[in-house]
Amino acid sequence: MRIPGLSKLRQTARRIRKRLTPGGLILLYHRVAQVDSDPWSLCVSPSHFAEHLEVVHKFGRVVQLQQLTQTLEQGKHPHRQFVITFDDGYADNLDNAKPLLKHYDIPATVFVTSGHIGSQHEFWWDQLERLLLQPGTLPEKLVLTINGSSYEWELGASTYYSKESYQHHRSWRASGQDSPTSRHSLYCSLYPLLRPLSADERQKILAQLLVWTGAKPSSRLTHRSLTPTELSVLEQGGLIEVGAHTVTHPFLSALPAPSQQEEIQRGKAELEEILGHSVTSFAYPYGDYTAETIPIVRAAGFARACSTTIAYSIGRHADCFQLPRVVIEDWDGDEFARQLKGWLFDE
């Protein structure tokens, strides 16, 4: 027998229970740095990051990722437990984030893409931004063949991009904002076309773009990855755990199972060779994976894995191999606190 209003009563009860006993939250950062152009909101300034650390101290208790999963494995509720994580392995995680984490005595996990350790190349999304969204002059037309399909773009009035226009548009974000110029439209068109490609295929396209733009094959120090020595220094002191993030940061759902296995297992092995100990935490690149990915991660010897799925606070029934995270942007302390309240209490 269906009782009228029962579903609404249950929802109200869950909301009240959540307000009285909020769960845990895993925060997802990428970089602690200030750069002029940041299309995907990957950077949080050092001053704002310091404010974030002060705020989480007031809201609850920051724990290691392993401690949060131990709470879940014991069937307990992770009441106001916070975990701080970083993806990719940018050098500023050591230069800018670690000193602040150490100052506030707050632990974190840094998920590192092993194939980029010590790389002379920027991450591909940074290369794309450098080639298309920096001031200068580009050819009027771009023609590319990507994954067997031919594409053509016209830049029109955006062939020349002045320093003044660059400064005016440097706060533009690729997600949720209209493209202000044809260059930005081109960036937004190419990004989803390049993302599912293999690292080799993608690099071939980027090499063609490099020739097309006439740019020098250089990398910016502001966008570099950790070196092997820096990776070891990063985890010294025990405050920061190094986790795995595959070898080439692929779109895992675009790969067959054997290729997924190679990316996951080799990424783990390469980190362990540098660090000299087991690596037990994993994060899915782009938060992307399939049902067959999870047993591959388990079989590789990982004890836990993070996604980018937003599920707000984490309760006692969360899956330790599909841990949701919330993406953190360059908010000041007040806005960050407002966001935390919404996630914790589902306001």
Side-chain angles (χ1 to χ4, degrees):
M1 178 180 177
R2 185 175 180 179
I3 301 175
L6 181 59
S7 177
K8 189 173 182 179
L9 285 172
R10 286 174 175 168
Q11 290 177 1
T12 302
R14 282 196 297 269
R15 186 177 292 273
I16 293 173
R17 185 167 60 250
K18 190 171 185 179
R19 283 185 169 274
L20 293 174
T21 58
L25 275 179
I26 303 178
L27 312 182
L28 169 55
Y29 293 86
H30 291 85
R31 307 188 59 187
V32 175
Q34 286 182 294
V35 297
D36 284 341
S37 180
D38 185 19
W40 296 105
S41 301
L42 300 184
C43 296
V44 173
S45 71
S47 60
H48 283 166
F49 185 59
E51 292 179 26
H52 294 185
L53 297 181
E54 291 180 356
V55 169
V56 292
H57 252 319
K58 296 175 183 177
F59 270 78
R61 185 163 58 101
V62 186
V63 301
Q64 291 278 11
L65 179 60
Q66 180 181 359
Q67 187 174 344
L68 176 88
T69 55
Q70 285 176 344
T71 299
L72 296 174
E73 289 164 355
Q74 293 167 1
K76 297 178 181 178
H77 185 67
H79 180 61
R80 289 182 182 267
Q81 287 188 3
F82 293 96
V83 174
I84 291 177
T85 67
F86 291 85
D87 278 8
D88 304 332
Y90 284 93
D92 56 64
N93 293 177
L94 172 64
D95 297 336
N96 299 333
K98 185 176 181 179
L100 289 168
L101 291 166
K102 187 175 181 180
H103 176 76
Y104 289 95
D105 193 28
I106 287 180
T109 296
V110 177
F111 294 106
V112 177
T113 307
S114 67
H116 260 272
I117 299 171
S119 174
Q120 298 301 309
H121 296 289
E122 298 175 5
F123 285 102
W124 73 266
W125 50 85
D126 290 331
Q127 293 183 55
L128 192 64
E129 177 271 329
R130 182 172 66 87
L131 294 173
L132 299 182
L133 300 183
Q134 294 296 308
T137 302
L138 296 177
E140 294 182 1
K141 181 185 293 187
L142 172 64
V143 179
L144 290 173
T145 298
I146 302 175
N147 205 21
S149 297
S150 181
Y151 298 89
E152 182 177 314
W153 296 270
E154 297 274 357
L155 288 184
S158 296
T159 297
Y160 174 67
Y161 194 40
S162 70
K163 291 182 179 179
E164 291 75 18
S165 295
Y166 170 74
Q167 289 296 325
H168 182 71
H169 297 307
R170 67 188 183 91
S171 62
W172 173 78
R173 298 294 179 260
S175 178
Q177 293 186 13
D178 292 335
S179 298
T181 74
S182 297
R183 287 191 182 217
H184 296 80
S185 296
L186 175 57
Y187 181 91
C188 288
S189 295
L190 279 173
Y191 183 89
L193 292 173
L194 296 184
R195 189 173 66 170
L197 299 180
S198 70
D200 289 342
E201 292 172 331
R202 189 187 303 118
Q203 202 55 47
K204 289 178 182 177
I205 300 298
L206 289 169
Q208 293 177 50
L209 280 173
L210 185 68
V211 173
W212 176 74
T213 63
K216 296 179 180 180
S218 60
S219 297
R220 295 166 289 188
L221 291 176
T222 53
H223 291 69
R224 71 180 184 88
S225 301
L226 291 158
T227 66
T229 299
E230 288 173 332
L231 184 67
S232 297
V233 173
L234 181 68
E235 69 163 14
Q236 285 178 5
L239 199 63
I240 294 179
E241 173 202 19
V242 172
H245 203 40
T246 70
V247 181
T248 67
H249 203 284
F251 212 59
L252 287 171
S253 66
L255 300 179
S259 298
Q260 291 190 40
Q261 185 176 31
E262 168 71 9
E263 281 279 349
I264 292 165
Q265 290 182 342
R266 187 155 68 90
K268 183 177 192 292
E270 289 178 350
L271 292 177
E272 291 175 343
E273 184 177 356
I274 294 171
L275 299 173
H277 62 74
S278 180
V279 172
T280 59
S281 297
F282 180 78
Y284 305 99
Y286 311 106
D288 171 73
Y289 58 98
T290 65
E292 63 186 351
T293 311
I294 298 171
I296 293 173
V297 173
R298 287 179 181 271
F302 290 105
R304 62 201 67 85
C306 291
S307 71
T308 58
T309 303
I310 298 176
Y312 302 102
S313 63
I314 298 170
R316 63 167 54 91
H317 301 299
D319 183 346
C320 289
F321 284 85
Q322 298 184 82
L323 292 168
R325 293 185 290 175
V326 290
V327 178
I328 308 302
E329 297 185 22
D330 189 27
W331 301 307
D332 62 20
D334 290 339
E335 177 60 21
F336 178 66
R338 192 185 73 79
Q339 295 285 340
L340 284 188
K341 288 179 182 178
W343 291 322
L344 283 174
F345 304 114
D346 197 13
E347 292 180 342

